[in-house]
Amino acid sequence: MSSDDASPRTLRDLLSALRRGLIDADKARSSARGRLERGGPLEAGGLADLLGLNDAGQGEDELQQQLQSECQFLEGVPFQPGSCIGGKYEVRKILRGGFGLVYLCRSLAPELYHRGDSLAALKCPLPQHLTDPELCELFVAEAVNSVALTPHPNLVLAYGVEMHNRIPFLVMEHITGGRTLVEEIENGRTDWRTTLRHGLDMARGLAHAAQEAQLIHGDLKPPNVLITGDGVAKVSDFGLSLSADAAGADGLIAGTDGFMAPEMVARRTGRSTVADVYAYGVTLLCAVLGRFPEAARPGDLCTAAHMPEPLAALLRECLAIDPAARPANFQIIAARLEGMSGFLLGARPSQPAAPDAPLRADALVNAAQTWLNLGQPRKAQAEVEHALRLNSANWKAHQIQNCIHLERRDFDAAYRSAKQARQLALDEPGPAANLAQAAMSLGRRDDALTWLDLALELAYESGRMGELDGSSLLFVELLPAEQALQVLDAIVTAQPGAAITWNNRAILLRRMKQPAEALASADHAIALNAAYAKAWTNRANALIELHRFAEAQTSASTALDLDPCLPGAYCAKATSLAQQGRLPEARAAIRSGLSLLPADPLLLRAAQVFAE
């Protein structure tokens, strides 16, 4: 839907659309403003009717308030148009989906994920979902399943997962000039001919996902189909997908009302390929009819719809109430659509051009970084070894090897890998910073300082100070306080969204006996990522030094809710409780920490301090 669309919209339409990511806040606000300017009630119908989402249980005032709240939410997201993510991506536009934010960006990095333009789409969990393990798991599932797929012209290509501000971002291809199938339907650009072509594209993409990674999509619907400027359909959003191997035990009822198969609604089965086939049939019927098929048996509407009988027959089979009567998989559907395209459209459809994917070795490096970011170093190791067999001079592969070795605490191997990366990329600050980290882990402080000075020099010369965000704690540990503060300030000046540096800056300012400034810096990190547990711990420590003990207790408790394995948070909580005269509760906090981390030296010392 475009912001200048003159067709009327109810507030219920707008709210449903905004929550499901079908429109962004600007469009919703513009439509709501138009409603107020026109005055009076709007006609029923529109987007929510298309998807069968209308809910008559809410009044206009409540809907208006909720719509305003949703719009304000997007205004408060950490990255706004014009700002940068990780020093690598300039945000151009923000979209909100049901489970995530999508930033449409221009890449600023000298090396891109792909060989074409500099555009990319970065998806991350909604801020409030970062503290919900179940919803974070949905995001991780989408990331894993998307990255597992090799490039296909009818699937949105995922390049990999990057971590920025300790938040995972799924980096995907940017569909220039793309529209969702919802927009195509709403604007009257779909009929049986376009439906046949889009349906074939979707079936090809879903067949590839099944053959390549045995994936079941789980949430097929018009918003999850993108149409390129050339009219090619691409399936996106594998957030509810799962492997066919897991489907037998899958009892999760997940998906969108109206698109879920009858057996799922009746809770007889979970997600399955034939359930995807049913959702696919509803999606295509929406495109033919131009609206949501309001009927107990949507397949009954195929006969009266304006489309050739071969296509109607296929949709009736896809929409069969009995799962066994549906086509068994998307390979079968694709073959049938290819066959009927020749005589219905007058020409057999051609396969679209492959997406602009990275070279194979680079793609494997992206996958290795993804697995490492998702906490799976064994898979990362397998991918990076494959990449190095294809191209031993890929410096990023050696850099990832360094990170894997650091995680395994094999510091000698980490140093060797960082040295190889450094030799292959003399102008890059990253390998030099990694050498500093490995040397520090080996207890070679002077070597660490030498490499850190080189990383700083390279970052200054290339104007890439923001790339040192992940290494900012090294500056705190190795440089004199005033000099370290200058470096950290230079990093956040170059990259205001550098949450790790803001957090480490709070540590440094506390050491410099500036608790109020430390508190402000920790608050800045939390504003960028409300689920940043260590920043909540540093906030608690700054509040303790400011004698604001009740607030410190709350911040420490928040840190432990986010990550129960932070010894510093237990100590901060115990200290704030003791300062409020609640010594038994302080001792209980330390005992709670020791039950999870029995050998932690900080907690063992705290137990002595708070001993009875």
Side-chain angles (χ1 to χ4, degrees):
M1 185 178 72
S2 62
S3 58
D4 59 354
D5 186 357
S7 60
R9 295 287 181 267
T10 67
L11 286 174
R12 190 169 290 108
D13 290 338
L14 294 172
L15 187 59
S16 294
L18 186 65
R19 284 176 169 171
R20 293 171 184 266
L22 311 182
I23 58 175
D24 60 23
D26 287 340
K27 289 181 180 179
R29 192 181 297 106
S30 174
S31 296
R33 187 182 302 116
R35 170 191 179 276
L36 294 174
E37 289 172 355
R38 287 191 299 271
L42 293 176
E43 298 175 23
L47 190 58
D49 282 340
L50 169 64
L51 295 179
L53 302 176
N54 276 329
D55 175 10
Q58 294 175 291
E60 287 282 294
D61 290 343
E62 183 180 358
L63 288 167
Q64 182 74 48
Q65 185 176 9
Q66 290 184 17
L67 179 63
Q68 184 175 353
S69 175
E70 296 283 330
C71 291
Q72 288 175 342
F73 168 83
L74 283 182
E75 292 174 348
V77 299
F79 301 102
Q80 294 294 320
S83 62
C84 290
I85 298 176
K88 292 177 64 177
Y89 302 99
E90 181 186 36
V91 178
R92 290 187 165 187
K93 188 176 181 181
I94 306 169
L95 303 175
R96 179 181 179 178
F99 293 101
L101 289 172
V102 177
Y103 296 93
L104 303 182
C105 302
R106 180 174 67 89
S107 176
L108 305 175
E111 294 184 28
L112 307 178
Y113 265 115
H114 44 63
R115 301 191 301 272
D117 60 31
S118 61
L119 301 178
L122 274 65
K123 182 175 183 178
C124 67
L126 294 171
Q128 69 267 34
H129 290 176
L130 291 169
T131 58
D132 187 319
E134 183 177 345
L135 293 174
C136 282
E137 196 62 34
L138 284 176
F139 179 84
V140 170
E142 176 179 7
V144 168
N145 290 333
S146 297
V147 173
L149 293 169
T150 56
H152 189 275
N154 300 123
L155 297 176
V156 175
L157 176 62
Y159 300 123
V161 173
E162 297 183 5
M163 299 293 292
H164 301 292
N165 292 354
R166 295 184 177 268
I167 299 171
F169 288 81
L170 175 60
V171 185
M172 302 175 291
E173 66 172 321
H174 183 288
I175 311 299
T176 303
R179 300 92 58 191
T180 66
L181 184 55
V182 166
E183 292 174 290
E184 295 291 275
I185 296 170
E186 276 211 296
N187 288 287
R189 291 195 289 261
T190 59
D191 56 19
W192 70 263
R193 293 174 180 81
T194 60
T195 299
L196 196 160
R197 288 193 289 267
H198 296 336
L200 175 56
D201 287 344
M202 293 169 59
R204 284 172 168 172
L206 292 163
H208 176 79
Q211 292 171 329
E212 178 83 11
Q214 295 76 51
L215 283 187
I216 294 165
H217 188 281
D219 195 23
L220 289 173
K221 56 186 177 182
N224 290 340
V225 181
L226 294 178
I227 311 299
T228 71
D230 296 330
V232 176
K234 290 175 175 273
V235 179
S236 68
D237 199 339
F238 282 80
L240 293 180
S241 60
L242 78 165
S243 68
D245 291 340
D250 175 45
L252 178 63
I253 305 301
T256 300
D257 290 344
F259 294 83
M260 286 192 291
E263 65 272 17
M264 292 181 68
V265 176
R267 297 185 176 270
R268 294 194 301 272
T269 68
R271 293 165 290 177
S272 67
T273 298
V274 289
D276 266 2
V277 167
Y278 182 90
Y280 169 89
V282 178
T283 298
L284 265 58
L285 191 53
C286 283
V288 173
L289 297 175
R291 59 179 176 81
F292 182 79
E294 290 284 2
R297 293 173 175 263
D300 294 344
L301 300 178
C302 296
T303 302
H306 181 62
M307 64 177 134
E309 177 53 28
L311 180 58
L314 176 60
L315 291 188
R316 279 196 297 272
E317 291 178 37
C318 292
L319 295 166
I321 300 301
D322 179 6
R326 299 175 203 147
N329 56 56
F330 286 100
Q331 290 93 325
I332 293 172
I333 294 174
R336 288 181 60 178
L337 288 173
E338 285 173 357
M340 71 176 71
S341 294
F343 64 86
L344 290 178
L345 299 178
R348 293 187 66 84
S350 60
Q351 187 77 18
D356 190 17
L359 297 172
R360 182 61 178 155
D362 293 332
L364 289 165
V365 169
N366 294 343
Q369 185 67 67
T370 292
W371 292 123
L372 191 60
N373 288 336
L374 295 175
Q376 300 190 45
R378 288 187 179 180
K379 290 186 176 181
Q381 183 68 34
E383 300 283 11
V384 80
E385 287 175 356
H386 190 178
L388 287 171
R389 286 196 296 271
L390 293 174
N391 179 9
S392 61
N394 190 309
W395 71 269
K396 286 189 174 182
H398 291 289
Q399 182 159 272
I400 294 171
Q401 280 273 40
N402 158 263
C403 296
I404 294 170
H405 292 316
L406 282 175
E407 187 158 320
R408 293 173 173 171
R409 303 188 66 78
D410 187 347
F411 302 129
D412 284 316
Y415 191 87
R416 289 194 298 272
S417 293
K419 195 71 176 289
Q420 287 177 297
R422 161 70 187 153
Q423 291 168 349
L424 293 166
L426 295 176
D427 295 331
E428 291 291 330
N434 286 348
L435 276 164
Q437 181 62 66
M440 190 72 171
S441 299
L442 288 167
R444 293 157 51 180
R445 188 181 180 91
D446 289 343
D447 283 350
L449 185 56
T450 297
W451 289 118
L452 193 64
D453 283 342
L454 177 60
L456 185 58
E457 178 184 338
L458 291 170
Y460 267 128
E461 288 176 353
S462 60
R464 294 158 62 187
M465 284 296 295
E467 293 183 25
L468 297 178
D469 180 34
S471 305
S472 53
L473 186 58
L474 283 174
F475 295 105
V476 175
E477 299 294 341
L478 290 172
L479 298 181
E482 292 293 345
Q483 185 181 350
L485 185 59
Q486 290 178 1
V487 173
L488 299 195
D489 285 347
I491 293 174
V492 296
T493 298
Q495 185 183 326
I500 296 173
T501 300
W502 283 110
N503 180 54
N504 291 328
R505 189 173 179 275
I507 295 172
L508 177 61
L509 288 165
R510 282 185 52 239
R511 293 181 183 178
M512 296 173 71
K513 309 300 182 186
Q514 299 179 40
E517 291 81 356
L519 176 61
S521 198
D523 282 342
H524 208 122
I526 291 167
L528 291 165
N529 180 3
Y532 197 166
K534 289 184 178 180
W536 283 104
T537 302
N538 283 323
R539 185 178 197 275
N541 286 324
L543 287 165
I544 288 170
E545 294 176 14
L546 291 168
H547 293 196
R548 292 160 60 177
F549 301 118
E551 294 174 71
Q553 177 196 338
T554 300
S555 291
S557 295
T558 300
L560 292 171
D561 288 339
L562 294 167
D563 184 352
C565 294
L566 288 178
Y570 288 105
C571 294
K573 184 174 182 179
T575 301
S576 60
L577 286 166
Q579 291 292 338
Q580 295 176 78
R582 298 159 63 181
L583 194 55
E585 294 174 72
R587 292 170 179 153
I590 298 300
R591 287 196 298 272
S592 179
L594 285 170
S595 68
L596 289 174
L597 306 164
D600 183 82
L602 182 61
L603 288 172
L604 289 171
R605 289 196 301 271
Q608 294 177 346
V609 170
F610 292 105
E612 298 183 26

